[in-house]
Coordinates of all heavy atoms in Angstrom, one line a residue:
E2 N 8.6 -24.2 -0.9 CA 8.0 -23.3 -1.9 C 6.6 -22.9 -1.3 O 6.3 -21.7 -1.4 CB 7.8 -23.9 -3.1 CG 9.1 -24.1 -3.9 CD 8.9 -24.6 -5.4 OE1 7.9 -24.3 -6.0 OE2 9.7 -25.4 -5.9
F21 N 11.5 -4.1 7.5 CA 12.1 -2.8 8.1 C 12.6 -3.3 9.6 O 13.7 -2.8 10.0 CB 11.0 -1.8 8.3 CG 11.0 -0.9 7.3 CD1 10.7 -1.4 5.9 CD2 11.1 0.5 7.3 CE1 10.6 -0.6 4.9 CE2 11.0 1.4 6.3 CZ 10.8 0.9 5.1
L40 N 6.3 -1.6 12.9 CA 4.8 -1.5 12.9 C 4.2 -0.2 12.4 O 3.2 -0.2 11.8 CB 4.4 -1.8 14.4 CG 4.6 -3.1 14.9 CD1 4.5 -3.2 16.4 CD2 3.9 -4.2 14.2
V42 N 5.4 1.5 9.9 CA 5.3 1.3 8.4 C 4.1 0.6 8.0 O 3.5 0.7 7.0 CB 6.7 0.7 7.9 CG1 6.5 0.2 6.4 CG2 7.8 1.6 8.0
V44 N 1.3 0.1 9.7 CA 0.2 1.0 9.9 C 0.0 2.0 8.7 O -1.1 2.3 8.3 CB 0.1 1.7 11.2 CG1 -1.0 2.7 11.4 CG2 0.0 0.7 12.3
G48 N -3.2 2.4 6.3 CA -3.8 3.6 6.0 C -3.9 4.2 4.6 O -4.8 4.7 4.2
V52 N -7.3 5.0 2.3 CA -7.4 6.3 1.7 C -7.5 6.1 0.2 O -8.4 6.7 -0.5 CB -6.2 7.2 2.0 CG1 -6.3 8.4 1.2 CG2 -6.4 7.6 3.5
L55 N -11.0 4.6 -0.4 CA -12.1 5.6 -0.2 C -12.0 6.7 -1.5 O -13.1 7.0 -1.9 CB -11.8 6.3 1.1 CG -12.2 5.6 2.3 CD1 -11.8 6.3 3.6 CD2 -13.6 5.2 2.3
L56 N -10.9 7.1 -1.8 CA -10.8 8.1 -3.0 C -11.4 7.5 -4.2 O -12.1 8.1 -5.0 CB -9.4 8.6 -3.2 CG -8.8 9.6 -2.3 CD1 -7.4 9.8 -2.5 CD2 -9.6 10.9 -2.5
A63 N -18.2 10.1 -10.0 CA -18.0 11.6 -10.7 C -17.2 11.5 -11.9 O -17.5 12.1 -12.9 CB -17.4 12.6 -9.7
N65 N -16.9 8.9 -13.9 CA -17.7 8.3 -15.0 C -18.6 9.4 -15.6 O -18.8 9.3 -16.7 CB -18.4 7.2 -14.4 CG -17.6 5.9 -14.1 OD1 -16.4 5.8 -14.7 ND2 -17.9 5.1 -13.2
L75 N -11.3 7.3 -21.7 CA -10.2 7.2 -20.8 C -10.1 5.8 -20.4 O -11.0 5.2 -19.9 CB -10.5 8.3 -19.7 CG -10.6 9.7 -19.9 CD1 -11.0 10.5 -18.7 CD2 -9.3 10.2 -20.6
V77 N -7.6 5.1 -18.0 CA -6.8 5.0 -16.9 C -7.2 6.0 -15.9 O -7.7 7.1 -16.3 CB -5.3 5.4 -17.0 CG1 -4.5 5.3 -15.8 CG2 -4.7 4.3 -18.0
P83 N 0.5 11.7 -4.8 CA 0.5 11.3 -3.4 C -0.1 9.9 -3.2 O 0.3 9.1 -2.3 CB -0.5 12.4 -2.9 CG -0.5 13.6 -3.7 CD -0.3 12.9 -5.0

Side-chain angles (χ1 to χ4, degrees):
E2 287 182 34
F21 272 59
L40 290 174
V42 167
V44 169
V52 169
L55 288 173
L56 278 173
N65 287 336
L75 303 174
V77 177

